[in-house]
Structures are given as C-alpha cells and as structure tokens.
Amino acid sequence: MPAVVIVGAQWGDEGKGKVVDLYTERADVVVRFAGGPNAGHTLVVGDEKIIVRLIPSGILRPRARCVMAQGMVVDPAVLLGEIDALAARGTNTSGRLFVSDRAHLILPYHVLVDGLRESAAAESRKIGTTKRGIGPCYEDKAARRGVRAADLRDMGRMLGLVERATAAWAPTIQALGGEVPSPRAIVEALAPLAARIIPIVTDTSVLLEDAVRKGQAILLEGAQGTLLDLDHGTYPFVTSSSAVAGGACVGAGIGPTRIQRVIGITKGYTTRVGAGPFPTELHDEVGERLRTAGGEFGSVTGRPRRTGWLDLPALRYAARVNGLDGLAVTKLDVLTGLSKIGVCVAYDTPNGRTGEFPIDGLEDAKPVYESLPGWAEKLPAVRALSDLPGAAREYLRFVADAVGVPIDIVSVGPRRDETIVLRDAFAS
Ligand code: IMP
C-alpha cells in the first residue's frame, strides 16, 4: 500500500481537512508532519462541524492511527483540549493517537513572544501570524534550545531547559514591554498535562516504518500551504515550517523512497489570511461575494480571509515544488452564480510578462486574466463529473491543462458526500 502526501497548493485553508478526511477512509495511519495549532482543519460529518488544530484529520475514522510527527510543534494544553473535545463527542483517541518524542513543545513564552511581536510590529512589517507561538517555538528549535515531547518524562530536565529558554527570550520580552514568566510556574503548570501526554509520546518514525513494512496505507497530511512554506512561500510572509511535500519526509521521519503519490489541494479561487503579496486579490463585490459564499473566515483566528481569483502561475509553481501527481479542487460550488470567472494566466511585471511565480515584484505584478463563462446551477448534489454544468467542466479542464496535473477530486460542498472522486489516491 502506498504512502500518499497531501499538501495545500495555495496559502492554506484549501479544504485539506475535508479531503484528508475522505482519503482516510482507506488509510491505516494518518500523519501530520509540520506546523502546529496555527492550522485549523474543518471536518463536517452529517450536520456536525469539528475543527482540529493539532490532531490529524483522520481521527474521526475509528480504524486510523493518528500521528503528530516530529516536524510539528505541539502545545500541550491545546492537544489535551482537543482530546477532551473529541471524547465529549464520543471519539475515543486512546491507543490510536501518538505524538513524536522529537516534536517540539510550544510553551507559554512562545505564545507570549508571538503576540507581543505582532502587536509591536509596524503595520508594514506585521506578518499577521496566528499568535499561537509557532514562530518562536521553531526559532528555539533552530537555536537548539527547544523543549521536546520526550522531555515531558523528566520534569527536572524540563525545568533546566525552560530556564535556559526563558533566559534567552527575556531581553526580547522585556524590550516588547512584557513580563518574563517564571520557569518554575511554567513547569508546575505543565506537570499535570505531562502526566496525560506521556503515554502517547512515541518514536513515531519506528511506528511508520513498521506500517510501511506491513504494507499499510499511510496518509501524510500537510498543514498551511505551499505559498506559506518557509523555503518556497512568499517570504517573509510565511509560516516557520515546511508545508511542501518534501517536508513530509523530514517532518515525519519517513524516507522519500516510501512516498508514492503527492496530491495538491486548491480551491476554485484563492484566499489568504494575514499579510503578504496576493496578486489576484479582489477588493470589489466579487471578492466580498467569495468571502460570504465560501465562509472565508479563519477557523483558528476568525479573521476574514482575503479573497481573489485562481492564480495559475502560483498553482504551476506549487505543482513543481511539490511534484504534484493530482489535484483536489475544492469549493467549486462557491463559484456558482458568477456570470464570468477570472483566472490569472500570467503576470505583467516591470520586467515583462511572465508565467512564472517570481521571487521579487509580486506586490506590483499585474495579473493577466482569462475570463471563463460561469454557471448558475447549484452543485452540492452532483456526484459525477458528467453531471456538472458544462461551464464548470470546462473550468476544471482549463485549470488541469494549464497546470499540467490531472484532477483527482472535486469538492462541491462542505459535507463528506458532496464530492466527486475521479481517482483513488491509494490505487497502485
Ligand atoms: P504563523 O504560522 O502563526 O506564524 O503565521 C504565519 C503566516 O501564516 C500568517 O500569515 C498566518 O495567517 C499564516 N497561517 C498560518 N497557519 C495558517 C493556516 O492554517 N491557514 C492559513 N494561513 C495560515
């Protein structure tokens, strides 16, 4: 059975939760390999809507084992909150939820610094982070003073690590007008959480290799999106981790030879939360309409998302840096009712016209649009490509041809069953 990687092909919020949840019907193991509680994956089952931020979207499938791998940053309090919320709706995570012993922990000083920095930054320098401590936690990891899940097993060692980290952050916290938290208070508050988390702390690379050997189906679930990736995104307006397919190997401790398929998720249009360039952003009533019809408000922060037309140079870029084999196009239903649909096919830049996604000048790039006919029919009941309105089929064909990647899935509504499946990700 193959290992399949699913990544966001835009700026996050592409509908990964739903697509991963669908694929996990077949998966034995579902792995999150990057990011932390900055992600918010929305799952809709029947009339119920559940948002998971840390726990892999596969958790609602009773047979799937779920792994939070070492590329993630895990906030212990958020994790336990999610476990409790799932238990309250009757989803038992015990025995099938694991956190890597090498995953770094988000501690209160990370959240404090993230918030202080965002409040203090001049408007032009704000990244618009989720203020969940993601960046400072990854900074500690790179500075080699991070605290890992395995450290929960030894509170004496934990105190030493927290003292070292808080001392390192103290000048920053003080300069930003904050109060340096007491390491002892942090560790005391952590102790009862540690007792609950230690049983699920595991060498998850061993777990995954064992699953590979047994021929089990493994789904590696990315967070955020390609254009928010630390290396490949619109730096510096990016997150602090690896959101691309290559990050699945690093972040999950699984070798590249194990990966058999990479699927990229894109909406039928584009959204972005937070600051940074967004060439196809719409500031008009169409943008507003996409936001309202698409429910485009952050699932973690509640912030209104910026909205715009589909950007093919960006999508081609995502196809390249991820090596996409298939596309999942989500929220096609949101486009219903528009008489014309714009698609950006190139940019006009001071250096001329380009179909590439440039490192510089994206702020000033003028999108070159093609206008495709829209459709009026509502889509959620459609289950076969042939039942889609002709204009919707044409739109999909146009996108697949322009990106050079076939479409595996089309999502026509938020519910699990409101989906057209064209290709099985796990088929060999
Ligand atoms: P951070 O990940 O909280 O540090 O935020 C860095 C940037 O990534 C900000 O622009 C956030 O809005 C964006 N971001 C982080 N996580 C997500 C996500 O799950 N969806 C969309 N945007 C995100």
Side-chain angles (χ1 to χ4, degrees):
M1 272 290 210
V4 172
V5 179
I6 298 195
V7 291
Q10 301 174 302
W11 277 287
D13 309 315
E14 297 92 350
K16 286 182 291 295
K18 170 176 168 173
V19 176
V20 172
D21 178 56
L22 265 171
Y23 280 135
T24 51
E25 190 167 19
R26 298 274 309 281
D28 299 293
V29 189
V30 184
V31 188
R32 257 203 57 195
F33 59 80
N38 47 350
H41 291 174
T42 307
L43 318 173
V44 179
V45 185
D47 294 329
E48 201 184 354
K49 190 168 150 184
I50 299 137
I51 295 174
V52 283
R53 290 157 58 185
L54 280 171
I55 295 180
S57 309
I59 200 68
L60 298 183
R61 306 281 189 181
R63 84 180 188 94
R65 285 186 296 162
C66 289
V67 172
M68 290 171 283
Q70 99 285 340
M72 287 189 74
V73 286
V74 176
D75 184 322
V78 174
L79 172 58
L80 291 173
E82 281 186 23
I83 291 174
D84 291 344
L86 285 163
R89 73 168 291 278
T91 302
N92 184 9
T93 57
S94 108
R96 60 191 197 90
L97 179 65
F98 306 90
V99 60
S100 165
D101 47 12
R102 290 168 171 80
H104 280 246
L105 297 182
I106 299 179
L107 293 174
Y109 43 90
H110 297 129
V111 181
L112 176 66
V113 170
D114 202 359
L116 287 172
R117 273 187 187 153
E118 278 295 309
S119 314
E123 212 47 53
S124 62
R125 299 204 46 227
K126 274 193 209 304
I127 291 175
T129 75
T130 57
K131 300 188 186 172
R132 295 300 191 268
I134 309 296
C137 185
Y138 279 114
E139 282 174 63
D140 271 355
K141 176 177 178 175
R144 284 148 295 177
R145 56 163 188 254
V147 178
R148 298 188 291 177
D151 299 319
L152 290 169
R153 296 184 180 128
D154 180 344
M155 280 295 153
R157 183 171 70 190
M158 173 69 78
L159 181 59
L161 291 168
V162 170
E163 278 170 350
R164 198 149 70 96
T166 42
W169 283 115
T172 307
I173 295 173
Q174 281 156 349
L176 292 168
E179 198 179 318
V180 181
S182 141
R184 195 162 286 282
I186 290 174
V187 173
E188 274 168 13
L190 197 55
L193 313 186
R196 291 188 60 198
I197 294 175
I198 288 165
I200 65 169
V201 174
T202 308
D203 186 338
T204 53
S205 175
V206 172
L207 185 155
L208 288 179
E209 185 60 13
D210 183 54
V212 168
R213 283 188 200 291
K214 289 185 175 136
Q216 295 187 338
I218 301 172
L219 193 77
L220 297 137
E221 170 187 4
Q224 289 79 49
T226 302
L227 305 177
L228 286 172
D229 178 88
L230 182 59
D231 289 272
H232 300 286
T234 47
Y235 191 90
F237 300 102
V238 293
T239 191
S240 309
S241 65
S242 190
V244 295
C249 297
V250 181
I254 190 168
T257 50
R258 309 296 194 217
I259 309 295
Q260 299 187 22
R261 200 164 164 72
V262 180
I263 293 160
I265 310 187
T266 173
K267 287 178 190 172
Y269 50 97
T270 309
T271 64
R272 174 163 204 171
V273 199
F278 180 177
T280 63
E281 183 168 12
L282 293 167
H283 296 282
D284 57 7
E285 67 282 1
V286 178
E288 193 52 50
R289 182 187 170 138
L290 292 174
R291 184 159 33 250
T292 313
E296 298 296 354
F297 297 88
S299 53
V300 172
T301 59
R303 288 181 287 179
R305 295 179 183 141
R306 300 157 66 193
T307 52
W309 293 127
L310 193 63
D311 183 335
L312 293 178
L315 209 48
R316 274 195 295 270
Y317 174 78
R320 173 159 58 81
V321 298
N322 290 295
L324 297 184
D325 298 302
L327 284 174
V329 179
T330 59
K331 293 196 158 182
L332 192 68
D333 53 305
V334 173
L335 297 174
T336 286
L338 293 166
S339 55
K340 293 270 175 214
I341 301 174
V343 188
C344 168
V345 293
Y347 307 124
D348 275 334
T349 73
N351 303 324
R353 186 163 288 192
T354 176
E356 294 295 324
F357 193 68
I359 182 170
D360 285 321
L362 208 52
E363 286 86 355
D364 304 317
K366 299 254 175 310
V368 179
Y369 287 115
E370 282 211 18
S371 180
L372 301 187
W375 57 89
E377 297 87 336
K378 293 203 184 324
L379 306 186
V382 175
R383 296 290 174 273
L385 201 60
S386 53
D387 293 335
L388 280 176
R393 280 206 306 277
E394 188 44 45
Y395 184 69
L396 293 173
R397 189 166 28 238
F398 186 86
V399 172
D401 286 352
V403 180
V405 177
I407 293 176
D408 285 8
I409 279 197
V410 183
S411 171
V412 289
R415 293 163 51 113
R416 230 181 219 173
D417 56 331
E418 289 166 344
T419 313
I420 303 168
V421 180
L422 301 167
R423 199 149 58 143
D424 174 4
F426 285 110
S428 42

